[in-house]
Amino acid sequence: MPVPRFPADFVWGVSTSAFQIEGGTSEGGRGRSVWDTFTATPGRVARGENADVATDHYHRYPEDVALMSELGVDAYRFSLAWPRIQPEGRGPANPEGIAFYDRLLDALCEAGIEPVATLHHWDTPQALEDDGGWLSRDTAERFADYAAIAGERFADRVKMWIPLNEPMVTSIFGYGIGEYAPGKALLLDAIPTAHHQLLAHGRAVAALRSAGARTVGTANNHSPVRGDDPEPVEFLDALINRLFADPVLLGSYPEVLHDRLPDGFADDLPSIAAPLDFYGVNYYEPMAVRAPRSPGPLPFELSPLEGFPMTTNGSPVVPDGLRELLVLLHERYPDLPPLHITENGCSFDGIHDTERIEFLDAHLGAVHEAMTTGVDVRGYFVWSLLDNFEWSKGYAPRFGLVHVDYDTLARTPKDSFAWYRGVIERSG
Ligand SMILES: O=C(O)[C@H](O)[C@@H](O)[C@H](O)[C@H](O)CO
């Protein structure tokens, strides 16, 4: 199905993150992050893989910027590595770290590609984790200092800012079930990490605006929750969607989680609900849930979503879930700022990646459908430009429009690269 016409000023982009592509983890004065520690811990990452080299973007960024130029994107969403800019997570900026991002930003501006900078894509400095990490309120204050440094140094070239990528994943996968760094399995006792991240978001918005940032938003991952039993559906919806959206967009928390939040949380809500210029959404798949079949610590259990094609990463392909989500956000949040799809993509193998083209085509169709019903969507960013390090799954899942040979680090555009370039060209 030909991709429908999007507005002429619609933003076409691609996304990546520092830890997943940069490599050079011990170069340029970079400090250790929780993910360096996690990948060095046996049994945490498939096949014992790590991101010490990853796609070597740290050295090959000119080639990657040239690929984006060839692709014709308007914007590139990447993340700054906090441990590269502040190796211990506090104190003065690391000049070599700043210099690396200066080089990258200058190359992007030279190529006419708008930089979209995420301040935190999960690589928290290990030194802060040793002091409690996101379980500690102080980390939010340290994050504000980091945001001020980044704003002062880069706000002249960065077009859009995103303080945190998917705080939900850090809280639930990092502190709740321990599947991601820092690998803690606190279950619902992980919820204070959500509040401290949201406080960090609010503090960073203020720091970035003082530094002259033009446009500030979010990149929250959201999934419509499906199930026949309303109780587990509402609870999971509160846990993965509303816990991270309501405080930012309504200035309140879902009632059902109040007793899990730190004392005095309400005093922080005005700072957390700082007005935004856009609301970024990462979408991959809906979630299905049911009541637990045996007593356990959680009032729900996940259930498989059947009857859909699957990606090589085990995700069901449900394009209409994206339309459903956009309409839900539009209806649920009256003062919702314009939306950007800050991530959407899939893992499939091979250079001739027809399934990826079909996936992106169908999801763009879903976005357009939501727009025709009045949802204000301004841009779309494919995850990802390059195959990269897929966290605890290592390098097996391939999400890139560009294939990466991890032996030679050679980049090879896939069929989806040419397809997306055509979409961008046609949308004019
Ligand atoms: O959404 C996420 O989980 C992250 O932002 C990305 O870092 C992932 O790599 C991507 O989504 C594929 O799973």
Side-chain angles (χ1 to χ4, degrees):
M1 182 184 76
V3 170
R5 276 204 85 69
F6 285 81
D9 60 354
F10 193 78
V11 175
W12 297 99
V14 285
S15 290
T16 68
S17 87
F19 194 79
Q20 295 177 272
I21 69 167
E22 285 183 3
T25 52
S26 306
E27 292 183 57
R30 180 182 175 280
R32 306 300 291 166
S33 79
V34 291
W35 270 95
D36 297 285
T37 306
F38 199 70
T39 55
T41 310
R44 289 297 199 175
V45 176
R47 297 166 301 279
E49 293 171 347
N50 65 53
D52 295 352
V53 175
T55 76
D56 193 34
H57 176 77
Y58 185 66
H59 301 105
R60 295 165 187 258
Y61 69 90
E63 189 183 343
D64 298 332
V65 173
L67 281 164
M68 285 187 269
S69 237
E70 191 193 332
L71 186 57
V73 290
D74 305 306
Y76 170 49
R77 177 180 170 231
F78 65 103
S79 76
L80 303 170
W82 191 356
R84 216 179 261 298
I85 291 175
Q86 280 186 309
E88 304 297 311
R90 48 172 62 88
N94 164 30
E96 289 183 270
I98 297 288
F100 168 66
Y101 293 113
D102 273 335
R103 292 193 296 274
L104 174 62
L105 287 168
D106 290 347
L108 289 166
C109 294
E110 178 107 1
I113 297 169
E114 293 173 345
V116 178
T118 307
L119 286 171
H120 182 264
H121 200 125
W122 309 347
D123 46 0
T124 311
Q126 184 60 46
L128 294 182
E129 185 58 39
D130 297 343
D131 294 341
W134 292 110
L135 287 163
S136 160
R137 184 184 174 84
D138 183 61
T139 302
E141 307 308 338
R142 299 291 67 74
F143 189 72
D145 298 343
Y146 160 53
I149 290 172
E152 276 146 31
R153 302 304 178 88
F154 307 132
D156 59 329
R157 285 155 290 166
V158 170
K159 176 79 187 313
M160 295 160 71
W161 290 89
I162 296 168
L164 298 168
N165 177 72
E166 301 184 357
M168 180 278 255
V169 172
T170 297
S171 286
I172 295 188
F173 287 75
Y175 290 89
I177 59 173
E179 201 180 302
Y180 279 7
K184 296 190 189 323
L186 306 170
L187 296 178
L188 296 177
D189 291 339
I191 288 177
T193 66
H195 181 66
H196 296 143
Q197 286 186 88
L198 289 161
L199 178 61
H201 161 85
R203 293 272 195 272
V205 171
L208 288 168
R209 295 220 187 274
S210 316
R214 285 170 276 171
T215 311
V216 186
T218 66
N220 277 352
N221 57 319
H222 286 299
S223 294
V225 179
R226 302 179 176 181
D228 304 330
D229 188 336
E231 218 175 303
V233 167
E234 275 162 32
F235 188 86
L236 187 65
D237 181 45
L239 191 63
I240 66 169
N241 292 317
R242 297 184 49 210
L243 174 56
F244 298 92
D246 288 18
V248 171
L249 297 171
L250 298 175
S252 60
Y253 275 109
E255 197 76 37
V256 67
L257 299 174
H258 278 194
D259 61 352
R260 294 275 174 186
L261 289 160
D263 296 343
F265 69 82
D267 301 337
D268 295 327
L269 284 165
S271 160
I272 295 172
L276 297 175
D277 305 292
F278 69 92
Y279 189 78
V281 172
N282 297 359
Y283 171 81
Y284 288 92
E285 59 192 290
M287 306 282 281
V289 72
R290 59 188 167 211
R293 286 167 297 173
S294 53
L298 297 174
F300 65 88
E301 64 183 45
L302 298 181
S303 47
L305 258 176
E306 266 129 19
F308 297 98
M310 300 296 276
T311 70
T312 61
N313 201 26
S315 296
V317 178
V318 190
D320 193 57
L322 179 52
R323 180 200 57 73
E324 186 186 335
L325 171 66
L326 297 174
V327 171
L328 172 94
L329 292 170
H330 178 70
E331 290 169 351
R332 186 175 272 181
Y333 302 107
D335 304 325
L336 185 67
L339 296 172
H340 278 271
I341 312 301
T342 34
E343 281 183 30
N344 178 235
C346 53
S347 99
F348 285 108
D349 293 334
I351 302 277
H352 304 301
D353 52 345
T354 317
E355 298 110 323
R356 178 169 291 104
I357 293 173
E358 287 161 3
F359 177 101
L360 297 174
D361 184 28
H363 284 77
L364 278 172
V367 172
H368 193 267
E369 226 183 303
M371 290 167 75
T372 57
T373 66
V375 184
D376 184 1
V377 185
R378 305 282 177 87
Y380 177 88
F381 294 74
V382 174
W383 183 273
S384 183
L385 168 68
L386 303 167
D387 291 339
N388 59 58
F389 177 76
E390 180 53 24
W391 308 114
S392 53
K393 297 216 174 120
Y395 294 100
R398 288 181 177 268
F399 281 84
L401 297 172
V402 174
H403 178 274
V404 176
D405 178 323
Y406 292 112
D407 297 326
T408 64
L409 298 169
R411 276 91 163 123
T412 310
K414 302 175 187 178
D415 293 357
S416 57
F417 180 99
W419 176 84
Y420 192 47
R421 182 178 55 210
V423 167
I424 298 170
E425 270 165 13
R426 279 193 299 281
S427 99

